[in-house]
Amino acid sequence: MKILLVEDEEKLRKVIKLYLEKEGFEVEEASDGNEAIEKFQPSMYSVVILDVMLPQKDGWSVLREIRKKDDTPVIMLTARGEDDDKIFGFELGADDYVVKPVSPKEIVARVKAILKRTKKPSSNDILFIDKAAREVYVKGQKINLTQKEYELLLYLYERQNIALSRELILNSVWGYEYYGDLRTVDTHIKNLREKLGDLRDYIKTVRGYGYKFEVEK
């Protein structure tokens, strides 16, 4: 994954770059606002790390230009921690905000966190579950699930290769106060398999007991 690091303090820029590269990221550098705008291209970078106080054009101006082009995640770096500055940055479209002095390890952690939050499904993802949006994608295509179908799939998915009884599934997904019978689980499993299409066999039947989620090798 490629990162655009925009920071005019060369020593800090080199240290952050070193830590990111140790984690396997490819880092492109820019030392001022104009250079950042010249280098930025839509879909070229996974994350932009952007200092606010820059020569030529400040970070706010750069952020505005980035947001005219696409929604690449942007982490702002600043020596000021006032709430008004943070609010202004978020209103312009910043995704995260780090106050200097910063720890390179913290920058790496924030980059990883933001990539995890903003990961988008692609055709290379056989099954992708977006917990924040409560959406499920099969081979890049969103499938429409009811609330309970989604909760059931997530419950099974997070317990892969574990045989789960119908009673445990019913109590965990529907709750102990639900008065339906075990056939409710079977019905929802049937509907879920139909919507998963080619991935229907990921939900295995454990005869006489229940179900388990098992990804085909």
Side-chain angles (χ1 to χ4, degrees):
M1 291 185 178
K2 196 170 184 178
I3 293 174
L4 177 60
L5 173 57
V6 189
E7 169 60 61
D8 63 318
E9 295 181 36
E10 184 177 5
K11 184 177 180 180
L12 176 59
R13 189 174 69 244
K14 296 300 183 184
V15 171
I16 294 174
K17 179 181 179 182
L18 178 63
Y19 273 77
L20 288 167
E21 288 179 338
K22 283 183 178 179
E23 295 296 321
F25 295 104
E26 180 183 352
V27 181
E28 183 86 13
E29 299 177 64
S31 59
D32 62 61
N34 285 339
E35 185 181 8
I37 292 171
E38 289 175 4
K39 288 188 173 181
F40 182 82
Q41 295 296 328
S43 303
M44 186 174 181
Y45 301 100
S46 299
V47 176
V48 176
I49 301 172
L50 178 61
D51 188 24
V52 172
M53 301 302 293
L54 292 169
Q56 308 299 332
K57 289 184 183 296
D58 64 22
W60 306 131
S61 299
V62 176
L63 179 57
R64 287 189 184 97
E65 292 300 315
I66 289 174
R67 285 293 170 258
K68 288 179 183 178
K69 297 178 180 180
D70 78 353
D71 59 353
T72 298
V74 176
I75 300 174
M76 303 299 295
L77 303 182
T78 180
R80 300 175 59 184
E82 285 83 352
D83 288 342
D84 287 347
D85 279 0
K86 293 182 179 181
I87 293 170
F88 183 61
F90 289 134
E91 287 177 346
L92 289 179
D95 297 272
D96 203 352
Y97 201 103
V98 182
V99 179
K100 294 180 179 179
V102 300
S103 161
K105 290 183 178 180
E106 180 184 356
I107 294 295
V108 171
R110 286 179 180 267
V111 166
K112 289 182 176 179
I114 209 166
L115 286 172
K116 187 175 181 180
R117 288 201 311 269
T118 59
K119 183 178 183 294
K120 297 180 179 179
S122 72
S123 58
N124 294 323
D125 293 308
I126 303 300
L127 177 64
F128 179 84
I129 300 178
D130 185 341
K131 294 183 183 179
R134 295 177 65 86
E135 294 176 346
V136 176
Y137 295 79
V138 172
K139 299 178 182 178
Q141 298 296 313
K142 180 182 174 181
I143 60 173
N144 295 316
L145 302 180
T146 66
Q147 178 179 327
K148 282 303 175 191
E149 287 168 353
Y150 169 81
E151 292 173 358
L152 174 59
L153 176 61
L154 184 62
Y155 181 78
L156 296 172
Y157 178 81
E158 291 183 336
R159 293 158 182 80
Q160 290 187 41
N161 304 315
I162 299 175
L164 304 163
S165 70
R166 287 177 173 84
E167 184 177 6
L168 177 61
I169 294 171
L170 185 71
N171 291 335
S172 299
V173 177
W174 278 265
Y176 286 95
E177 296 180 355
Y178 180 75
Y179 292 105
D181 58 34
L182 299 181
R183 288 174 296 182
T184 298
V185 176
D186 297 330
T187 300
H188 279 74
I189 289 289
K190 178 177 179 294
N191 294 338
L192 195 50
R193 281 172 169 164
E194 290 178 357
K195 292 182 179 181
L196 287 173
D198 294 342
L199 306 187
R200 66 175 66 244
D201 292 336
Y202 280 16
I203 301 177
K204 308 289 186 184
T205 298
V206 181
R207 191 173 299 277
Y209 185 72
Y211 301 93
K212 69 176 177 177
F213 192 95
E214 185 176 85
V215 176
E216 299 290 341
K217 303 295 184 181

